[in-house]
Amino acid sequence: MRPDLAGLSPYGAPRIDVPVILNVNENPFAPAPEVAEDIARAVQAAATGLNRYPDRDFPELREQLAAYLAVESGVELGPEQIWAGNGSNEVLLHVLQAYGGAGRTMLTATPSYSMYPEYARDTQTAFVTVDRADDFTVDLDATRAAMTEHRPAVLVLASPNNPTGTALATEDLLALLEHARTTGPADTPTGPDDADTPTATVVVIDEAYGEFRREGTPSALELLADHPHLAVARTMSKAFGMAGLRLGYLAAARELVDHLRVVRLPYHLSAITQAAALAALSHRDSLMGQVKLLRDERDALVDHLRGRGLEVADSDANFVMFGRFEDRHAVWDSLVSRGVLIREVGPQGMLRVSVGTPEENDRFRAALEEVLS
Ligand SMILES: *Cc1c(COP(=O)(O)O)cnc(C)c1O
């Protein structure tokens, strides 16, 4: 094994079999029976052609993902501006495979998603982070300074951020995008007289929780038209309620998508996945139906925890980070023993709870009340 990987364990949240599972930010509502039936029918039809490899470029799925984004965010994109993979984790790895690598750097702002350092590690990309501000927003000056200093090939920012729930303000993103136009890695000299031409840092906004953003928080998709070095990652795992499907995607300029196509494995999206995703997308209204309810539940949970005197981060996502606890592990553990699984993640003393069904959220509140009193 590569020496830098020896002794490491695979990443993953602990899975414990308890009645209330609020630890990995899934949509708590199972697909409706008619959605499940449609998916089964689509998979059955795809099964009759499984002797053949699937479509490598899946144009129909890219078309439907673009149509979904147009409805969700009002931004019209062509299918050639969409890329997809087995979860947005795979798509983000494609970004690092295409733009990272030995001698290159990825920059992010922490605390953030635990998988980011792993994409960097696995592609032998140097990993640099800037601390977020005390309210978990991106520290604009520090981030720009780090871009100038490290010349990152890729800047990845989750918005809303996991595990804090913090969205990135549009004016901050615009400022970073302007700065990023010339902060990319030095180009390869073609001769002794070749001057260093500026390159751009590819800015990836990971909107895994984008659909949960509060009224008035725009999507970075709106900035794609003017920024060829911007990519916006999305997933069907969270708001869409299809974490088990493994379908994530990204929107960007066509040229950027074409770079990702170079590094993907052939036939990485199975015919079964493509068929199931298309069937699920055709039910987007029903699958998205619960997003408003989950947003309202989230806001109520924030109010409740604040009312209880806890420190709670503003959230544009389907989870809430709260604390601070002298011994957060003890709180986590006491909740587990009351049948509620949340996540021990984030800055010291903080815990993260995903928004569940109204009943699950009640059970969480009741269990927490017992633990705290
Ligand atoms: C859940 C999550 C993802 C998405 O993972 P999938 O591979 O699409 O299931 C991506 N980014 C962040 C920050 C997440 O929390």
Side-chain angles (χ1 to χ4, degrees), residues 16-352:
I16 302 176
D17 194 16
V18 292
V20 182
I21 307 274
L22 301 174
N23 68 330
V24 287
N25 303 339
E26 294 151 331
N27 187 321
F29 296 104
E34 64 274 14
V35 179
E37 273 159 33
D38 254 20
I39 291 174
R41 254 194 301 276
V43 168
Q44 160 101 46
T48 63
L50 283 182
N51 56 314
R52 301 294 178 193
Y53 280 109
D55 193 318
R56 276 188 303 248
D57 293 311
F58 44 90
E60 197 185 348
L61 180 55
R62 291 159 84 186
E63 185 98 48
Q64 287 310 310
L65 288 167
Y68 166 72
L69 288 180
V71 173
E72 199 279 326
S73 69
V75 178
E76 306 269 350
L77 300 165
E80 71 288 346
Q81 291 182 268
I82 304 289
W83 185 238
N86 296 281
S88 53
N89 267 286
E90 184 176 52
V91 171
L92 292 166
L93 184 61
H94 287 162
V95 172
L96 268 293
Q97 288 176 323
Y99 297 106
R104 291 188 162 213
T105 299
M106 163 181 174
L107 181 71
T108 187
T110 42
S112 196
Y113 188 39
S114 348
M115 280 304 295
Y116 294 157
E118 302 215 0
Y119 311 141
R121 179 199 72 195
D122 294 349
T123 55
Q124 306 206 311
T125 309
F127 182 70
V128 177
T129 69
V130 176
D131 287 342
R132 286 174 175 259
D134 286 343
D135 62 357
F136 306 119
T137 55
V138 171
D139 182 335
L140 207 51
D141 289 339
T143 306
R144 276 188 295 214
M147 291 163 78
T148 305
E149 183 187 344
H150 297 284
R151 301 191 69 170
V154 184
L155 168 65
V156 181
L157 296 172
S159 176
N161 184 43
N162 180 7
T164 63
T166 322
L168 181 64
T170 302
E171 61 270 22
D172 290 355
L173 176 54
L174 276 169
L176 292 171
L177 284 167
E178 271 329 297
H179 196 63
R181 287 188 196 275
T182 56
T183 56
D187 68 344
T188 316
T190 51
D193 302 326
D194 178 37
D196 183 11
T197 336
T199 68
T201 296
V202 171
V203 179
V204 181
I205 302 302
D206 179 356
E207 292 191 350
Y209 303 96
E211 287 97 336
F212 294 108
R213 65 193 185 274
R214 287 173 293 180
E215 204 84 34
T217 307
S219 163
L221 291 167
E222 295 178 24
L223 306 180
L224 279 176
D226 301 319
H227 301 93
H229 55 311
L230 170 64
V232 183
R234 290 276 185 120
T235 180
M236 291 176 75
S237 297
K238 307 286 164 58
F240 216 92
M242 286 278 149
L245 173 63
R246 306 309 299 133
L247 202 290
Y249 54 105
L250 170 148
R254 179 196 192 127
E255 192 189 10
L256 198 154
V257 169
D258 286 344
H259 295 163
L260 304 184
R261 292 173 59 217
V262 174
V263 298
R264 60 111 178 89
L265 294 173
Y267 317 113
H268 70 293
L269 266 193
S270 83
I272 300 288
T273 299
Q274 294 183 38
L278 277 167
L281 279 164
S282 75
H283 286 280
R284 56 179 168 252
D285 294 341
S286 132
L287 283 162
M288 297 296 294
Q290 286 103 2
V291 168
K292 170 148 175 32
L293 181 148
L294 291 170
R295 274 202 229 122
D296 292 346
E297 285 287 312
R298 178 226 21 233
D299 293 340
L301 198 53
V302 168
D303 290 346
H304 172 84
L305 294 168
R306 282 195 180 139
R308 193 68 189 65
L310 293 163
E311 176 187 340
V312 185
D314 282 334
S315 176
D316 275 279
N318 66 333
F319 53 83
V320 178
M321 193 179 72
F322 66 100
R324 301 204 174 224
F325 303 109
E326 193 112 325
D327 184 353
R328 73 172 177 185
H329 182 74
V331 176
W332 178 87
D333 205 43
S334 306
L335 287 168
V336 170
S337 66
R338 285 167 177 78
V340 180
L341 178 63
I342 67 167
R343 191 79 184 271
E344 201 180 338
V345 69
Q348 206 169 22
M350 303 297 275
L351 292 167
R352 190 194 72 193

